[in-house]
Amino acid sequence: MIQFLIKGLMRDSSRSRLPIIVVSIGVMLTVFIHAYITGFMGDTVELNARFTHGHLKVITRAYAENISQIPNDLALVNVNDLLIDLKKQIPDITWSPRIQFGGLIDVPDDKGETRSQGPAIGLGIDFLSGTSREAERMNIQKSLIRGRIIQNPGEALLSEEFSQKLKIDPGENFTLIGSTMNGSMSMYNFKLAGTLSFGTEAFDRGAIIADIEDVRYALDMSDAAGELIGFLKDGFYDDEKAIKIAQKYNASQSNNEDEFAPIMKSLSQQGNMGQYVGFMKIWTTYISMVFVIAMALVLWNAGLLGGLRRYGEFGLRLAMGEEKKHVYGTLIYESVFIGITGTILGTAFGLFFAWLLQKYGIDISGMMKGAALMFPKTIKARITSVDYYIGFIPGLISTVIGATLAGIGIFKRKTSQLFRELEV
């Protein structure tokens, strides 16, 4: 019987084509919007990950206890060996060493005397090795205001507001005065390669970014790093996966009681990011469900109206001797076929458009002239496992429920009433 019904639907386009198109469009919008909301809500998490926290972070136990003070005297040592070990244990993670530091920026005049000074917070990342994507990951190139990105040793970047305050232009020299890893005083000369905007007041008032090898030399941190930042290969933060990786790694280090032993933290285990990740999950679910319910009501109504329009047909079939239960059953079977077909087509199209947005994104940099390092320049979606089945809620379930409610009228009305509707 089912095969007979499917053939009937395929041959009678008036009964199948329009309902399948309606269901497909509804499901496509549901899948696409869910992927878009997931990507949009995750933008802030990804920005924090790229700039500060990483998806995973490896630091020493002592550093973790005083992390707000950025204690480079408690930093990781023998970093190259540690990186090799991490890549063997967790090959799916991309690791990059970083050093956060503080100091005083001194700008000399023509005579070598101090022209201006200002306190700064700094970040040392890998610009020059050719094996790191740190500059691309942090979107530094597109956030430049003046000058260019770091291309040679001894160059650095300053925040635009800070450079204006110090009255220094790209190409001029300045001195970083700070403290080494061992606590002694350090002075290191840099050439200003360019300036950029961070988008946060704390960094814009005074920040410096330099190649990590220059920072290591300046702070006497050879083969050392304050932290190792790890990123999942797919480019998106997965909280459950990150926590499992951190727990497994920490378990392997549980027998090492040295305060300088490395420990691993996921992004949600760092500061207040756990609250934000939880908040993001809840609101992504709420917003998505509102849209899913809205589309479900639309398709529910479409299924209901589709069944009501066929009351005349049902009356004719009953007059020919067909039982009400059989008529009702065929209506449900047809709605299931329409729902499954429309859901599969809609999910495929929705995933396709979501993939395009995830891969290429929508560049909004033209709408954000002078935008900062800490703001996204591209709107992107994110496809998750939920997108593969969320379309069945409005596409199949709602369509079947609508047809079920419409079919109840078959039992409530007499055959003569149904047949009279055919005449009308």
Side-chain angles (χ1 to χ4, degrees):
M1 183 186 72
I2 295 176
Q3 186 177 2
F4 173 77
L5 290 173
I6 292 174
K7 285 184 177 179
L9 286 171
M10 294 176 64
R11 292 173 180 175
D12 187 355
S13 59
S14 63
R15 291 167 53 193
S16 60
R17 184 181 300 168
L18 182 60
I20 289 175
I21 290 174
V22 172
V23 172
S24 298
I25 293 174
V27 172
M28 179 188 70
L29 291 174
T30 301
V31 173
F32 178 78
I33 292 297
H34 182 270
Y36 168 76
I37 291 172
T38 303
F40 175 78
M41 295 294 287
D43 276 346
T44 302
V45 171
E46 292 303 323
L47 283 171
N48 278 279
R50 294 171 188 172
F51 195 78
T52 308
H53 299 89
H55 295 160
L56 292 159
K57 179 183 288 187
V58 176
I59 50 181
T60 65
R61 288 175 179 159
Y63 192 102
E65 294 175 0
N66 304 277
I67 193 169
S68 60
Q69 301 174 23
I70 315 177
N72 283 326
D73 56 320
L74 305 176
L76 295 163
V77 294
N78 299 321
V79 169
N80 289 331
D81 292 338
L82 181 58
L83 282 170
I84 293 173
D85 183 59
L86 285 170
K87 289 175 182 178
K88 288 181 179 178
Q89 291 191 46
I90 320 170
D92 293 334
I93 304 295
T94 301
W95 297 99
S96 297
R98 291 185 183 178
I99 299 174
Q100 297 186 54
F101 60 94
L104 183 70
I105 302 299
D106 181 274
V107 180
D109 57 17
D110 295 337
K111 298 180 181 180
E113 302 293 334
T114 297
R115 184 177 72 192
S116 57
Q117 284 185 339
I121 52 178
L123 181 64
I125 64 175
D126 185 1
F127 277 97
L128 305 176
S129 71
T131 60
S132 171
R133 297 177 54 244
E134 286 283 77
E136 177 186 347
R137 186 179 291 124
M138 295 179 67
N139 202 33
I140 290 177
Q141 181 67 52
K142 294 184 179 180
S143 300
L144 287 171
I145 305 298
R146 293 185 295 158
R148 56 173 173 78
I149 200 170
I150 293 173
Q151 297 177 352
N152 303 296
E155 295 180 340
L157 301 170
L158 293 177
S159 60
E160 172 65 16
E161 183 179 332
F162 191 37
S163 69
Q164 295 288 353
K165 188 184 302 182
L166 296 175
K167 298 180 180 179
I168 182 173
D169 297 316
E172 295 187 83
N173 297 320
F174 65 89
T175 301
L176 170 67
I177 303 173
S179 176
T180 69
M181 183 178 181
N182 300 313
S184 59
M185 185 175 180
S186 169
M187 289 186 290
Y188 192 81
N189 294 324
F190 285 100
K191 175 185 284 188
L192 182 60
T195 65
L196 45 79
S197 174
F198 287 84
T200 58
E201 185 178 358
F203 287 103
D204 282 329
R205 284 189 301 181
I208 173 176
I209 297 181
D211 182 66
I212 191 169
E213 292 301 329
D214 285 319
V215 176
R216 281 171 170 168
Y217 189 81
L219 305 182
D220 195 17
M221 295 180 66
S222 178
D223 198 18
E227 53 201 27
L228 295 179
I229 302 294
F231 295 91
L232 299 171
K233 286 291 180 67
D234 60 5
F236 294 103
Y237 179 66
D238 186 329
D239 191 43
E240 294 182 1
K241 183 177 181 179
I243 290 175
K244 288 180 180 179
I245 292 173
Q247 289 175 342
K248 183 178 180 180
Y249 181 81
N250 292 333
S252 69
Q253 300 291 325
S254 59
N255 295 328
N256 190 344
E257 298 180 356
D258 186 357
E259 65 174 344
F260 292 101
I263 62 169
M264 187 180 295
K265 290 180 177 290
S266 68
L267 182 144
S268 62
Q269 294 170 334
Q270 302 176 47
N272 296 323
M273 289 305 297
Q275 296 179 0
Y276 184 83
V277 170
F279 172 83
M280 182 201 72
K281 289 180 180 178
I282 292 172
W283 278 101
T284 298
T285 302
Y286 284 165
I287 296 172
S288 299
M289 287 310 300
V290 168
F291 187 82
V292 169
I293 291 172
M295 291 307 305
L297 291 174
V298 172
L299 295 180
W300 181 343
N301 188 54
L304 181 61
L305 292 175
L308 293 176
R309 290 195 187 99
R310 297 176 60 191
Y311 273 2
E313 173 197 332
F314 298 152
L316 179 61
R317 290 166 62 182
L318 291 173
M320 294 175 64
E322 193 171 351
E323 295 183 359
K324 288 185 177 181
K325 289 183 180 180
H326 187 266
V327 173
Y328 185 67
T330 57
L331 177 64
I332 302 302
Y333 284 133
E334 288 176 2
S335 67
V336 170
F337 171 76
I338 290 171
I340 292 176
T341 304
T343 299
I344 293 174
L345 291 174
T347 300
F349 280 106
L351 289 173
F352 173 71
F353 290 120
W355 174 81
L356 290 177
L357 187 60
Q358 176 177 291
K359 184 174 179 62
Y360 301 104
I362 299 175
D363 188 356
I364 58 172
S365 57
M367 302 168 58
M368 303 174 64
K369 189 174 182 180
L373 193 70
M374 295 294 286
F375 288 91
K377 306 294 190 302
T378 306
I379 296 176
K380 288 191 174 184
R382 181 188 175 188
I383 298 174
T384 61
S385 58
V386 177
D387 296 310
Y388 289 91
Y389 60 80
I390 194 172
F392 282 91
I393 297 175
L396 177 59
I397 297 176
S398 297
T399 303
V400 173
I401 292 176
T404 302
L405 294 176
I408 293 175
I410 297 174
F411 295 94
K412 289 185 176 181
R413 298 190 182 192
K414 296 179 180 179
T415 303
S416 58
Q417 290 178 311
L418 293 169
F419 191 74
R420 192 180 302 118
E421 294 184 20
L422 176 64
E423 297 174 354
V424 177

